[in-house]
Amino acid sequence: MTSLPERAARRCYAVVNPFHSALYFSPDLGREFARAGLDDARAAYFAARAAPLGRAGSGTVTAAFYNFRHDLVARHIPRAWDLVSPEGALDARLRAVDSLLRRLLGEETLASKELAEAAELALRAAEACARPARPLYAANADLPVPEAPHLAYWHAATLLREYRGDGHLAVLLRAGLDPLEALASHTASGRGMSPKWVLAGRGWSREEWEAAKDRLRGRGLLDADGELTASGTELRKALEDETDRLDRAPYEHLGAAGVARLTELGGALAGAAQAAGAFPADLIGKR
């Protein structure tokens, strides 16, 4: 164990995570799942992300994902497993990742020593992640590491993303933020998904969104204009700080030099993917 510079772990996570999450905004995911027998884009998302859990029901998936409306999840899970098995879904998502990264980064980058080094560092960091109370991390940790460096890096990014995410949900529960309040307060911070993407992708109605904002106002966390109050800003900071505390093991294990190098490499890869159109331009924002 070693001491890291302040926020070093969070900065590292911030550049590694996009390598994982770009999959869910790509046409590659829908195309591969359609070939596997599942031609609904939302169902493909649920099946791809939940497949490591096995033939999970809608309640389990809603619990693990946290901020999706249960009715939306139940519309697709467990029906999706009648169309594509969890094993088939895992194969389809890996094919989608391969297609996505070849398209975004190109063959030269995929064959580079820098990408192989990033994969090695991220996998080393993930060695320190622990399974208890981390269901999505634990399920992915049971999967084999792909041999190709770009797929191994995506796998490692997935482990680190789900590990932090599992811990973050515990922090949200302790803070008394329900799924939609968590989304609305994150959006108000300017760092979360725009309402357009929340409502389109998470299954909530505009009325439910506004009701969540009213509840946050009642707690003194949002003002009349929907902006975070001082208390709201303090809460969001506390949420991220506590999430950092629960997420420090992999980065402490990697060490300061390793974290700095992974941040450098991951930043270059994430930047290249972003420049190639990995994410919608209006994904993040308050409006």
Side-chain angles (χ1 to χ4, degrees), residues 55-237:
R55 196 173 289 269
S58 60
T60 299
V61 174
T62 300
F65 289 13
Y66 192 72
N67 57 26
F68 288 80
R69 201 175 196 279
H70 177 63
D71 289 356
L72 175 63
V73 178
R75 193 180 307 161
H76 302 293
I77 299 292
R79 178 178 176 273
W81 308 133
D82 296 330
L83 302 174
V84 57
S85 69
E87 295 78 14
L90 289 171
D91 290 340
R93 85 169 186 177
L94 207 56
R95 291 195 302 271
V97 171
D98 182 61
S99 173
L100 169 68
L101 297 182
R102 291 183 187 280
R103 179 169 56 81
L104 292 179
L105 300 178
E107 298 297 331
E108 184 176 347
T109 297
L110 264 58
S112 68
K113 61 180 177 31
E114 288 82 7
L115 196 149
E117 183 184 0
E120 180 184 352
L121 289 168
L123 287 168
R124 191 187 310 161
E127 291 172 352
C129 298
R131 285 179 172 80
R134 311 269 187 162
L136 282 172
Y137 159 74
N140 280 280
D142 285 344
L143 302 177
V145 178
E147 291 186 10
H150 65 291
L151 300 180
Y153 184 49
W154 186 86
H155 176 74
T158 300
L159 296 178
L160 295 172
R161 183 264 173 271
E162 300 294 19
Y163 183 79
R164 183 179 178 92
D166 286 337
H168 187 62
L169 300 189
V171 176
L172 294 176
L173 286 172
R174 183 177 180 182
L177 291 175
D178 69 28
L180 198 45
E181 292 165 357
L183 287 168
S185 61
H186 194 206
T187 295
S189 75
R191 298 181 177 88
M193 285 195 300
S194 67
K196 165 190 169 181
W197 282 94
V198 171
L199 299 181
R202 296 310 196 250
W204 305 100
S205 69
R206 173 61 67 173
E207 292 73 21
E208 289 169 321
W209 176 260
E210 294 301 330
K213 290 170 67 176
D214 284 342
R215 293 195 297 275
L216 293 171
R217 290 188 183 97
R219 291 177 60 178
L221 302 175
L222 289 186
D223 64 20
D225 296 323
E227 300 290 335
L228 289 175
T229 62
S231 294
T233 299
E234 182 179 351
L235 176 61
R236 288 302 319 183
K237 180 181 183 302

Side-chain angles (χ1 to χ4, degrees), residues 14-85:
V15 298
V16 172
N17 174 51
F19 209 81
H20 159 81
S21 57
L23 175 66
Y24 304 126
F25 299 92
S26 74
D28 310 83
L29 182 67
R31 182 172 61 248
E32 289 298 335
F33 271 82
R35 289 173 178 168
L38 196 62
D39 60 2
D40 183 285
R42 184 52 55 193
Y45 169 84
F46 288 128
R49 193 170 171 216
L53 295 168
R55 196 173 289 269
S58 60
T60 299
V61 174
T62 300
F65 289 13
Y66 192 72
N67 57 26
F68 288 80
R69 201 175 196 279
H70 177 63
D71 289 356
L72 175 63
V73 178
R75 193 180 307 161
H76 302 293
I77 299 292
R79 178 178 176 273
W81 308 133
D82 296 330
L83 302 174
V84 57
S85 69

Side-chain angles (χ1 to χ4, degrees), residues 124-126 128-129 160 163 246-255 259:
R124 191 187 310 161
C129 298
L160 295 172
Y163 183 79
L246 295 176
D247 189 38
R248 67 188 179 189
Y251 305 98
E252 292 279 1
H253 177 68
L254 187 57
V259 168

